Amino acid sequence: MAYFDAASAAPLHPVARQALLASLDDGWADPARLYREGRKARMLLDAAREAAAEAVGCRADEMVFTPSGTRAVHTGVAGALAGRRRTGRHLIVSAVEHSSVLHSAEVFEAAGGTVDRVAVGRGGAVDAAGYSAALRADTALAVLQSANHEVGTVQPVAEVAGICRAAGVPLLVDAAQSLGWGPVEGDWSLLTASAHKWGGPSGVGLLVVRKGVRFAAQGPVDERESGRAAGFENIPAIVAAVASLRAVRAGADQEAVRLRELTARIRTRVPELVPDVEVVGDARRRLPGIVTFSCLYVDGEALLHELDRAGFSVSSGSSCTSSTLTPSHVLRAMGVLTEGNVRVSLPMGVAETDVERFLDVLPGAVASVREKLGAPAPATRVRAAELVVDSLGKRCPIPVIELAKVIGEVPVGGTVRVLSDDEAARLDIPAWCEMRGQEYLGEEPAERGTAYLVRRLG
């Protein structure tokens, strides 16, 4: 089985396994106690904190370990907002942040705060000017990921950090996807990360709060981790997390070159091998191992199952996931197709032969899914130079498939009116028009659902 979902969780690094086992004997006691076993545990914890701080580029007393990366984000956002509540109740985030950030923003809004969500371009990156324009006198905090978790696009953190610093606003950086590749540049104020993204054990997060940043931890606190992460520290897991971070960093530069070549190969060859595919995300400013593409007329979850049967573990940003049936907020913000989306995120050390085998298998897998989905004969009726396609009650990508089948039946300049009650059609029909060179005219209310209008250009 070829594991191509390292952006979700990287395989446990051998060094992490060794460090975990080695520290089980000395890291089980309470590091707050003064007896011998407690002192041994404290030495391990202090050494791990020093090493992690060196890797991040901060002071050891600015860093705490949390039970997860998500907890680090929730604690960091809530604490920074509370610490600056006298400044105001305004938060800035990007539209493509991880769900942990967006959920924190929703909680803040529900409590009476205001949130600006900075838009991104089609490549998935924010424009630093968007953060500058969003800043207000009452802005308490800004948040920006270092790199996107779904499409791999690297964000202009250093530039945004400079803008925020000049305005006296702290910037929290979610560095979960990038920290294994190197420290985050720029004059940021807070930083979060998660160990399972770089091959450490799950259940270990990092939260850095620079000296001078106003911070008020929320909820019940205790004396551990500067009062910012309550509960007994999992010292063996923390030691393993930091050991794996140092190990992956040692070979990161060399491995980045190799993974960039492999992902460039995928980005180039997938559109050559599979018809009607769009590779998404910035082509240059991106993490080494992530490549994402969208296949027209394909359900993402069905394609994932087909690839799983062929021996490949990949993930999808498909709108129709079995659990939510909601579009990926990242793909939606980018304005790209939300159906048939595949994210390939290569782990360090991946074999080149596995990548080549994936490229051999993918065309057949896509063709199989397209064939199984079928394209039901659309119900059409002619209105002069307009066709009406009734896709009510049908889930995407079926409305898009039916649109594609009939667009050639109207003359150039003619229109197709697609009736659909699937929310995903609002995203996927404009994205299809962008990919296929047709003109999206907008939407209109219909007796049932919504009518989406498309003009044929060629």
Side-chain angles (χ1 to χ4, degrees), residues 239-291:
V239 170
V242 176
S244 61
L245 178 58
R246 298 184 69 181
V248 298
R249 281 283 192 86
D253 290 344
Q254 183 176 355
E255 185 65 2
V257 173
R258 195 178 74 90
L259 290 188
R260 287 189 188 281
E261 192 282 324
L262 292 176
T263 52
R265 190 181 309 180
I266 296 172
R267 289 180 65 88
T268 300
R269 290 182 57 188
V270 165
E272 297 172 351
L273 296 169
V274 182
D276 299 315
V277 164
E278 180 184 23
V279 181
V280 301
D282 193 285
R284 293 181 298 277
R285 288 180 53 85
R286 58 185 305 99
L287 291 176
I290 299 178
V291 56

Side-chain angles (χ1 to χ4, degrees), residues 17-348:
R17 185 184 302 275
Q18 294 168 6
L20 181 65
L21 294 174
S23 59
L24 286 173
D25 290 336
D26 289 334
W28 54 269
D30 186 345
R33 303 306 176 192
L34 299 180
Y35 42 70
R36 180 180 302 174
E37 293 85 357
R39 294 198 305 271
K40 286 182 179 180
R42 169 57 63 181
M43 289 176 62
L44 286 175
L45 183 59
D46 288 347
R49 198 184 312 276
E50 289 281 353
E54 181 182 1
V56 170
C58 67
R59 293 170 40 157
D61 59 356
E62 294 174 329
M63 172 176 290
V64 300
F65 296 106
T66 65
S68 69
T70 294
R71 177 57 62 188
V73 167
H74 292 171
T75 302
V77 171
L81 288 171
R84 285 174 49 81
R85 58 184 173 271
R86 290 185 179 179
T87 298
R89 301 271 290 162
H90 178 235
L91 169 66
I92 304 173
V93 301
S94 84
V96 293
E97 293 299 317
H98 188 269
S99 59
S100 60
V101 172
L102 299 184
H103 291 161
S104 293
E106 290 168 2
V107 169
F108 181 62
E109 261 183 325
T114 58
V115 179
D116 272 343
R117 296 166 177 84
V118 178
V120 298
R122 197 169 176 84
V126 302
D127 185 338
Y131 272 74
S132 180
L135 287 168
R136 305 185 333 202
D138 63 341
T139 301
L141 178 68
V143 182
L144 179 63
Q145 60 192 194
S146 56
N148 187 260
H149 51 291
E150 284 194 31
V151 300
T153 298
V154 172
Q155 303 289 359
V157 170
E159 189 177 356
V160 171
I163 291 170
C164 291
R165 176 68 66 177
V169 175
L171 176 70
L172 185 152
V173 179
D174 173 13
Q177 288 296 339
S178 73
L179 195 61
W181 296 106
V184 177
E185 297 180 355
D187 198 7
W188 46 266
S189 301
L190 302 96
L191 180 141
T192 62
S194 187
H196 71 277
K197 301 292 188 180
W198 63 69
S202 59
V204 178
L206 306 181
L207 170 61
V208 178
V209 181
R210 296 280 200 192
K211 293 296 183 183
V213 175
R214 292 186 177 276
F215 191 92
Q218 299 301 286
V221 299
D222 61 23
E223 71 280 2
R224 299 179 188 277
E225 296 301 302
S226 304
R228 294 172 182 170
F232 201 100
E233 298 94 341
N234 186 346
I235 294 176
I238 289 171
V239 170
V242 176
S244 61
L245 178 58
R246 298 184 69 181
V248 298
R249 281 283 192 86
D253 290 344
Q254 183 176 355
E255 185 65 2
V257 173
R258 195 178 74 90
L259 290 188
R260 287 189 188 281
E261 192 282 324
L262 292 176
T263 52
R265 190 181 309 180
I266 296 172
R267 289 180 65 88
T268 300
R269 290 182 57 188
V270 165
E272 297 172 351
L273 296 169
V274 182
D276 299 315
V277 164
E278 180 184 23
V279 181
V280 301
D282 193 285
R284 293 181 298 277
R285 288 180 53 85
R286 58 185 305 99
L287 291 176
I290 299 178
V291 56
T292 307
F293 53 89
S294 298
C295 304
L296 278 173
Y297 324 131
V298 168
D299 174 72
E301 297 302 307
L303 181 54
L304 260 60
H305 291 312
E306 194 73 24
L307 290 170
D308 183 48
R309 283 191 289 270
F312 294 94
S313 300
V314 299
S315 65
S316 173
S318 170
S319 63
C320 292
T321 60
S322 58
S323 59
T324 64
L325 294 176
T326 58
S328 157
H329 71 277
V330 172
L331 302 178
R332 181 176 61 219
M334 292 169 60
V336 299
L337 191 70
T338 65
E339 295 291 344
N341 181 265
V342 174
R343 180 186 67 184
V344 174
S345 48
L346 305 176
M348 292 185 176

